Amino acid sequence: MKYTDEQIADIGENIIRVLKTIYDPEIPVDIYELGLIYDVQISDEAAVKVIMTLTSPNCPVAESLPAEVKDKIALVEHVSEVELELTFEPTWNRDMMSEEARFELGMI
């Protein structure tokens, strides 16, 4: 089934809602606000590709966090499949955090 641009936008909003429920266990901020999600692409058939990073390549949740992201996005209504690409380019840094995340962590 092909989805309209409006339906794809709705799916995208639902994906972002899900991403905001996933936390890096070492930092009390969700991975979306931390800036760990570099891109979310949604095809007109609701196949999703997520490009994300971790705070460091040696992150203790390097195996479990990407799997959690993929599994939770797969549960979003209408998502047909999920591909997750883990990258370290560009390297994550604190400047990638949202203003909300910096506020939560007392950085502003």
Side-chain angles (χ1 to χ4, degrees):
M1 174 179 176
K2 292 197 181 242
Y3 291 92
T4 66
D5 289 345
E6 186 176 310
Q7 290 170 314
I8 291 170
D10 288 343
I11 292 168
E13 288 175 20
N14 290 333
I15 289 171
I16 290 169
R17 267 195 280 285
V18 165
L19 292 171
K20 288 184 172 200
T21 68
I22 303 170
Y23 288 78
D24 182 311
E26 296 181 333
I27 306 170
V29 175
D30 69 76
I31 63 169
Y32 188 81
E33 297 298 336
L34 270 179
L36 299 182
I37 304 299
Y38 287 171
D39 196 14
V40 176
Q41 302 163 4
I42 307 168
S43 76
D44 60 1
E45 294 180 349
V48 176
K49 179 176 182 181
V50 177
I51 302 171
M52 70 173 288
T53 193
L54 301 171
T55 53
S56 83
N58 300 323
C59 181
V61 293
E63 289 188 28
S64 63
L65 190 61
E68 180 181 0
V69 169
K70 187 174 180 177
D71 292 346
K72 286 191 173 180
I73 290 174
L75 296 174
V76 171
E77 188 175 10
H78 304 297
V79 168
S80 61
E81 65 182 85
V82 181
E83 176 187 347
L84 190 135
E85 180 182 325
L86 188 61
T87 185
F88 293 99
E89 294 295 325
T91 303
W92 179 86
N93 63 67
R94 292 176 183 214
D95 293 336
M96 295 175 168
M97 291 190 289
S98 69
E99 191 173 313
E100 180 181 322
R102 289 189 201 134
F103 180 77
E104 280 284 320
L105 296 172
M107 298 172 75
I108 55 173

